[in-house]
Amino acid sequence: MSSMVVTANGNDSKKFKGEDKMDGAPSRVLHIRKLPGEVTETEVIALGLPFGKVTNILMLKGKNQAFLELATEEAAITMVNYYSAVTPHLRNQPIYIQYSNHKELKTDNTLNQRAQAVLQAVTAVQTANTPLSGTAVSESAVTPAQSPVLRIIIDNMYYPVTLDVLHQIFSKFGAVLKIITFTKNNQFQALLQYGDPVNAQQAKLALDGQNIYNACCTLRIDFSKLVNLNVKYNNDKSRDYTRPDLPSGDGQPALDPAIAAAFAKETSLLAVPGALSPLAIPNAAAAAAAGRVGLPGVSAGGNTVLLVSNLNEEMVTPQSLFTLFGVYGDVQRVKILYNKKDSALIQMADGNQSQLAMNHLNGQKMYGKIIRVTLSKHQTVQLPREGLDDQGLTKDFGNSPLHRFKKPGSKNFQNIFPPSATLHLSNIPPSVAEEDLRTLFANTGGTVKAFKFFQRDHKMALLQMATVEEAIQALIDLHNYNLGENHHLRVSFSKSTI
């Protein structure tokens, strides 16, 4: 394995001749060229953060170049594919990213101290450790996260930015619980609350200063002094994703008076330090294809294959992935990777379905582990060669009778909701009572909190588990369960609560 040792005489540039060919073999080390002179380690690291963990960085200041090492080759491939479609910018200057000839970076810590300090701080954020205290990171913007609530101001707003667009972008970094949007001082602003301050920290680090669309709609992000948002209405101005039952309250001010008062006290901490834009997104279609901003009605192009990682390899099967991902689209094929059984490739019927599945399932818990879902570089999932035993790791579901979206205009299209603790059950035969269903669902290892048959139609019911994770488990175990009398139970996530 070739590796790189940084020498003390600053002469490292000699080793990088021949790095200029654009399409070398994939490597988890990326070579970044044409960097602006003043660029910081943090800005370069932020380029890689949306794609996975960054494990090392080497800045060649004199040459305006850098090497960035990601934790996996898959993350590096996703990053290169993304930036080959969307030219990345730092400080309004286009930069170039390609695979390096090096397979890993071996950097001398004493020479690369500042970069290492920045990386350590970022890693602390990424692995949800307590942020490092006392680390001398001058410009890294890694301050201990005080609050799970971010305050977002959007500059240069030439295109409208909706609450849904913010939800899509910020969900990449963790579960978004609440959003309130409003206009203050003629500027569009938002408050966005995560479940965990670490997610807020990560989102701020990766997104502050980036443009949602090409050369406009720049995100300015800071921590809010508020630690909890009180949302009264679910409408296009405010939303509490933990309480789908809230009224829409049309025409009501979305901002709670107490929050408005708190805002008046919050001074603008957001100085504008020359518009950085590591992720200029040229238009909505490319944005959706890249999986950064899934805009409704914009097809996500041909990218139908998802890479799912951090799976529980003791428990996961192609069938369980088929059932869970099948809530958001018609799964064609599933392949659990032979040499890396905590990862799988899942091929959906079209790009919109892969986009939906990624938006809804990335960051959810399955069999006790938080799964990661990204778009894969693969166009299709290959089946094993004839006669080759692949231990049942690859399965073709192309002709499955369980696809939910085969029929155009099917009701299932209107019932696509994020994973929730409340499940919608249908196709229940008359002989099956509430007690039977409570027992059945308790047997999946969770706690049934509430149950309610639909008044007009006893074939349907709502059933609430204690947690979203338990509901995911129950759906995997019991969707298509045979209740007798030729009735197979249908299970999906509900937007209602009981």
Side-chain angles (χ1 to χ4, degrees), residues 408-459:
S410 153
K411 271 217 180 93
N412 292 331
F413 282 100
Q414 294 149 36
N415 294 323
I416 297 175
F417 300 112
S420 63
T422 308
L423 296 167
H424 179 277
L425 316 182
S426 60
N427 208 27
I428 303 165
S431 59
V432 172
E434 172 177 337
E435 209 37 58
D436 303 325
L437 289 165
R438 279 178 172 269
T439 308
L440 185 64
F441 277 78
N443 285 344
T444 62
T447 307
V448 176
K449 300 273 287 214
F451 181 92
K452 186 172 83 180
F453 272 116
F454 278 59
Q455 265 176 334
R456 268 168 289 178
D457 186 356
H458 251 232
K459 290 198 202 80

Side-chain angles (χ1 to χ4, degrees), residues 150-165:
L150 292 176
R151 178 166 177 241
I152 302 156
I153 293 179
I154 298 190
D155 286 343
N156 309 326
M157 194 158 135
Y158 299 128
Y159 296 114
V161 173
T162 63
L163 184 144
D164 290 328
V165 165

Side-chain angles (χ1 to χ4, degrees), residues 55-284:
T55 47
N56 210 341
I57 181 171
L58 171 71
M59 300 285 277
L60 306 179
K61 282 278 161 79
K63 295 196 73 184
N64 299 79
Q65 297 183 14
F67 287 86
L68 194 68
E69 178 188 275
L70 280 86
T72 65
E73 199 171 282
E74 192 69 45
I77 291 168
T78 309
M79 180 168 163
V80 168
N81 286 353
Y82 175 66
Y83 287 127
S84 62
V86 177
T87 306
H89 288 64
L90 277 178
R91 306 203 172 199
N92 287 341
Q93 192 175 309
I95 58 168
Y96 299 92
I97 297 178
Q98 65 204 60
Y99 299 118
S100 163
N101 295 339
H102 302 287
K103 291 294 175 211
E104 64 175 329
L105 287 182
K106 290 214 172 116
T107 49
D108 179 329
N109 279 359
T110 53
L111 292 168
N112 206 15
Q113 236 168 1
R114 236 202 29 212
Q116 292 304 317
V118 174
L119 252 174
Q120 266 184 309
V122 174
T123 308
V125 172
Q126 285 186 326
T127 50
N129 296 342
T130 47
L132 301 175
S133 52
T135 314
V137 187
S138 53
E139 73 230 283
S140 69
V142 183
T143 50
Q146 306 298 323
S147 162
V149 179
L150 292 176
R151 178 166 177 241
I152 302 156
I153 293 179
I154 298 190
D155 286 343
N156 309 326
M157 194 158 135
Y158 299 128
Y159 296 114
V161 173
T162 63
L163 184 144
D164 290 328
V165 165
L166 290 174
H167 184 259
Q168 301 262 17
I169 295 172
F170 283 84
S171 291
K172 299 281 180 282
F173 299 91
V176 173
L177 305 187
K178 304 171 189 176
I179 305 179
I180 296 173
T181 63
F182 53 96
T183 302
K184 183 175 178 224
N185 305 337
N186 287 332
Q187 268 190 316
F188 179 81
Q189 302 194 17
L191 288 170
L192 182 142
Q193 181 176 341
Y194 281 105
D196 187 329
V198 168
N199 301 130
Q201 173 97 323
Q202 215 173 337
K204 178 182 185 302
L205 194 71
L207 296 174
D208 186 26
Q210 301 206 22
N211 293 340
I212 298 176
Y213 303 115
N214 199 20
C216 72
C217 300
T218 309
L219 293 163
R220 304 266 162 238
I221 304 172
D222 219 295
F223 293 108
S224 167
K225 292 192 175 69
L226 302 165
V227 290
N228 187 36
L229 300 180
N230 181 10
V231 176
K232 292 190 165 174
Y233 303 106
N234 282 341
N235 52 33
D236 58 356
K237 299 273 190 298
S238 64
R239 205 155 309 159
D240 183 337
Y241 295 91
T242 64
R243 296 207 40 212
D245 54 315
L246 287 177
S248 67
D250 294 330
Q252 297 293 333
L255 206 53
D256 184 75
I259 289 179
F263 255 117
K265 295 195 188 80
E266 258 190 48
T267 51
S268 175
L269 304 163
L270 298 171
V272 181
L276 314 177
S277 90
L279 254 177
I281 293 179
N283 59 36

Side-chain angles (χ1 to χ4, degrees), residues 324 327-328 404 417-426 428 437 441-442 444 447-448 450-452 454 460-479 489-498:
L324 179 57
V327 173
Y328 301 106
R404 295 178 189 237
F417 300 112
S420 63
T422 308
L423 296 167
H424 179 277
L425 316 182
S426 60
I428 303 165
L437 289 165
F441 277 78
T444 62
T447 307
V448 176
F451 181 92
K452 186 172 83 180
F454 278 59
M460 295 201 283
L462 292 177
L463 180 140
Q464 189 179 338
M465 303 297 288
T467 63
V468 176
E469 185 187 359
E470 287 181 11
I472 287 175
Q473 179 70 55
L475 182 139
I476 289 170
D477 290 352
L478 294 175
H479 177 63
L489 184 64
R490 295 271 166 269
V491 186
S492 51
F493 297 114
S494 171
K495 69 172 193 293
S496 315
T497 46
I498 303 175

